[in-house]
Amino acid sequence: MVVFALVLGLWTYASDHLIDPTSRFLLPPPLSVLKVGLLDWQNLSEILSALWTTTSVALTGLAISMVIGVALGILMSQARWVEYSVYPYAVALQTIPILAVVPLFGFWFGFDFKSRVIVCVLIPLFPIITNTLFGMKSVEAGLHDLFSLYAANRFKRLLFLQLPAALPAILTGFRISAGLAVIGAIIADFFFRQGNPGIGRLIDVYRQNLQTEQLLTSLLLSSLVGLVLFWGLDLLENRIVRRRNPR
């Protein structure tokens, strides 16, 4: 709270004393943002409606990326040839500039909800694959020997040893990907302008019209969505860890 108050104080000081009064619209003070962006119901309702569209895209893409990422991570941990075949493409996917390929998705799949979801799947996918694979491979060798001693088959070893051991790493991948999914939804909004407008398109409109108060409000609320997703997954991870280790 002290840091938050300090940031607001520095923001107010910069707006009132460091910026020329004729250019103050570029960085309005916090009270102005609060009054125009949050207390004006017409502006707030417009922002919340667009934010809900973006959030629904982000949640859909994140859920699909979780399923695909965990499945690929498990497959790669069970078969070396799958890891050698798939993992290089996952790395390549991470290195491709997403802004360069987003227009192609529009040409291939249209410029509506489907293309936005595809972008939201691709951006957070790599951390989930990497963390799942790392968790599956980080099981202690002694535990593998114990399962071998009791003649456990591969399915039982996967279900009762590797997956429980990899769960913290998988949830960490989910937390990292939560914010990336929101970023992907906003990026998709900039390019795909059919269907219900998302927060990304609204931010672009505010930028063109120099509506800085609404622009800053949109940015802050978008960041809040990512934080809520991160905190929710962090809370889930903590509960699972406490249940597994009650002491």
Side-chain angles (χ1 to χ4, degrees):
M1 295 302 295
V2 172
V3 174
F4 179 70
L6 181 62
V7 170
L8 291 181
L10 291 175
W11 179 0
T12 303
Y13 178 81
S15 179
D16 293 339
H17 299 89
L18 299 183
I19 297 180
D20 187 86
T22 59
S23 303
R24 192 163 294 165
F25 65 93
L26 297 174
L27 184 63
L31 289 178
S32 179
V33 175
L34 176 65
K35 180 180 178 180
V36 176
L38 294 177
L39 299 183
D40 188 322
W41 175 245
Q42 182 177 357
N43 293 330
L44 181 60
S45 61
E46 182 181 44
I47 294 173
L48 290 179
S49 176
L51 188 63
W52 170 248
T53 301
T54 300
T55 302
S56 62
V57 173
L59 290 176
T60 304
L62 180 61
I64 296 175
S65 66
M66 286 177 177
V67 174
I68 296 176
V70 171
L72 288 177
I74 292 174
L75 288 175
M76 287 189 288
S77 70
Q78 299 302 302
R80 189 67 60 88
W81 69 268
V82 177
E83 180 182 357
Y84 289 163
S85 301
V86 176
Y87 198 64
Y89 293 99
V91 176
L93 182 65
Q94 178 70 9
T95 59
I96 294 176
I98 194 66
L99 290 177
V101 297
V102 164
L104 293 176
F105 295 150
F107 298 149
W108 296 337
F109 306 106
F111 295 86
D112 52 4
F113 184 82
K114 183 191 301 183
S115 296
R116 300 184 194 183
V117 171
I118 291 175
V119 174
C120 288
V121 170
L122 294 180
I123 292 181
L125 186 60
F126 183 76
I128 298 177
I129 294 175
T130 303
N131 280 271
T132 301
L133 183 60
F134 170 78
M136 298 290 290
K137 287 186 171 183
S138 63
V139 181
E140 296 180 8
L143 294 176
H144 276 293
D145 293 339
L146 179 62
F147 271 67
S148 298
L149 181 64
Y150 284 94
N153 57 32
R154 173 171 290 189
F155 178 75
K156 289 183 178 180
R157 189 186 301 266
L158 170 65
L159 187 62
F160 297 108
L161 175 61
Q162 291 177 291
L163 279 177
L167 194 55
I170 294 174
L171 291 174
T172 299
F174 288 171
R175 285 193 290 126
I176 296 172
S177 300
L180 295 177
V182 177
I183 294 174
I186 294 175
I187 291 176
D189 285 335
F190 278 108
F191 286 91
F192 306 136
R193 296 180 173 269
Q194 294 183 10
N196 295 329
I199 199 67
R201 196 191 312 179
L202 204 60
I203 288 174
D204 192 38
V205 171
Y206 292 151
R207 177 190 60 83
Q208 295 176 7
N209 297 332
L210 296 179
Q211 295 173 282
T212 317
E213 291 88 355
Q214 293 92 321
L215 175 60
L216 290 174
T217 303
S218 301
L219 293 175
L220 293 174
L221 292 180
S222 300
S223 176
L224 182 61
V225 171
L227 287 174
V228 169
L229 290 176
F230 181 89
W231 289 333
L233 291 170
D234 185 57
L235 179 62
L236 176 63
E237 179 181 358
N238 290 334
R239 287 189 174 182
I240 292 176
V241 170
R242 284 199 301 266
R243 181 174 298 179
R244 294 180 59 195
N245 303 291
R247 294 183 181 180

